[in-house]
Amino acid sequence: MNEIKTRYGTFIPYSGEAELRKKNKEPVTYHENGEIASIYFEEIRKVNTPLGEIDAEYLTFYPDGTLKRIFPSYGQISGYWTEEDEYSIAPEAEIALCGRTFRVHPLCIAFYPSGKVKSFTIWNRDTVTVDTKYGEVETNFGFDLREDGKLKSIEPVFGTKLETEKGVIYPFDTDNYRLSAENNSLVFDEEGDIVSVKTLRTGLRVSTGAGIINIRACKAQDPLTGFERLFPLNINIIGELVEVTCLDKIKESFPVDKVQFI
């Protein structure tokens, strides 16, 4: 039996023997400086983290030995081990963030080197709600935070509607294939104002010298299916300008006072 000592506890790494749900992954990896980079546990066990004691199966570390990411369960989804199987053994945790306490099944929690939470990703069978300047926003994926604890971005549930001074926004990213809740479709600045949104339903009405133009999500061929479909419109507010992009093919900027959401 091999024991690995870290500042967060002493752990027994996975033996590497074949098992239905275990991923084909090294039990222990190291950074170039010799510090532990990751540990894949033999079984789910409790870990002392900056958020308190949390059950986990896989940990990653920064080169200085501080905790980078914690995965409460880390099984391989396949035809023999389904998402439902993995969720059934995923540990539940009580986490206090953004002025609220959530009791959910975390998929991954990422930390800054300081120990502050960087992102909080949950199983999509769970939901959490956070407060914003625009009201409560519910997510079944997660959110990421600035190092001071302020909300940086969130992936809202489908159907979320936000009232802003520029009109109504329906944030949602149909192309969200990420594994962690970072760089989400609804982004805020340090004051809590929306500075970026990905959306299918929200468009822009722009007043120009030549009249009114409307901009909507664009249609294009899906590279996976070959069929035409809608791709999200990316709206970024940069100072006094609103920048609009869709599939990186349309890139226009307009004065913010000439734009309304429709």
Side-chain angles (χ1 to χ4, degrees):
M1 183 175 66
N2 185 23
E3 292 187 341
I4 304 294
K5 292 184 178 180
T6 76
R7 68 184 71 179
Y8 305 97
T10 300
F11 308 112
I12 301 172
Y14 174 46
S15 65
E17 295 179 2
E19 186 182 316
L20 179 66
R21 63 170 291 276
K22 284 291 188 182
K23 292 188 177 183
N24 183 20
K25 202 169 189 70
E26 291 292 332
V28 183
T29 63
Y30 296 86
H31 290 290
E32 290 184 359
N33 65 359
E35 290 286 346
I36 298 288
S38 67
I39 307 176
Y40 196 1
F41 299 163
E42 184 71 31
E43 58 186 16
I44 295 172
R45 57 150 297 168
K46 294 190 180 300
V47 177
N48 294 314
T49 79
L51 284 175
E53 201 170 60
I54 298 176
D55 288 320
E57 187 174 19
Y58 183 63
L59 303 179
T60 67
F61 302 86
Y62 288 102
D64 67 354
T66 56
L67 188 60
K68 186 175 184 180
R69 295 184 185 274
I70 178 170
F71 296 82
S73 66
Y74 202 67
Q76 177 66 51
I77 305 302
S78 67
Y80 302 99
W81 186 259
T82 66
E83 270 194 28
E84 289 74 17
D85 293 327
E86 186 71 7
Y87 181 76
S88 70
I89 67 166
E92 192 176 42
E94 189 170 273
I95 307 293
L97 292 170
C98 296
R100 295 196 176 207
T101 300
F102 311 116
R103 186 154 193 88
V104 291
H105 300 81
L107 194 61
C108 174
I109 305 173
F111 298 90
Y112 289 100
S114 64
K116 301 292 185 180
V117 174
K118 184 175 184 181
S119 66
F120 183 58
T121 310
I122 62 175
W123 280 86
N124 61 14
R125 290 163 176 75
D126 294 346
T127 61
V128 298
T129 301
V130 299
D131 295 307
T132 75
K133 271 190 177 181
Y134 308 88
E136 294 183 337
V137 176
E138 185 180 29
T139 177
N140 60 355
F141 184 63
F143 53 83
D144 65 344
L145 304 172
R146 300 183 188 280
E147 199 161 1
D148 61 6
K150 292 180 181 177
L151 184 65
K152 183 178 180 182
S153 72
I154 188 169
E155 197 59 55
V157 295
F158 180 74
T160 296
K161 175 183 176 180
L162 300 178
E163 299 278 355
T164 78
E165 61 180 14
K166 287 291 182 181
V168 177
I169 291 178
Y170 297 89
F172 191 70
D173 184 5
T174 52
D175 299 318
N176 177 16
Y177 304 123
R178 293 166 290 113
L179 297 177
S180 63
E182 297 175 14
N183 304 312
N184 301 293
S185 63
L186 184 61
V187 183
F188 305 89
D189 64 14
E190 293 183 355
E191 303 304 318
D193 294 313
I194 294 173
V195 292
S196 181
V197 61
K198 293 181 181 179
T199 176
L200 285 177
R201 183 173 175 181
T202 302
L204 297 182
R205 178 181 287 120
V206 184
S207 299
T208 71
I212 302 295
I213 61 173
N214 294 326
I215 301 174
R216 293 282 187 180
C218 55
K219 285 186 176 181
Q221 187 180 63
D222 190 309
L224 296 178
T225 66
F227 294 105
E228 188 178 69
R229 70 173 179 88
L230 276 176
F231 285 86
L233 192 68
N234 302 329
I235 304 171
N236 297 293
I237 302 172
I238 306 170
E240 296 301 314
L241 293 177
V242 176
E243 183 182 90
V244 187
T245 307
C246 191
L247 279 177
D248 296 326
K249 294 180 180 178
I250 304 171
K251 191 168 186 179
E252 298 181 82
S253 295
F254 306 99
V256 70
D257 61 350
K258 301 296 183 183
V259 173
Q260 284 290 125
F261 298 131
I262 56 174

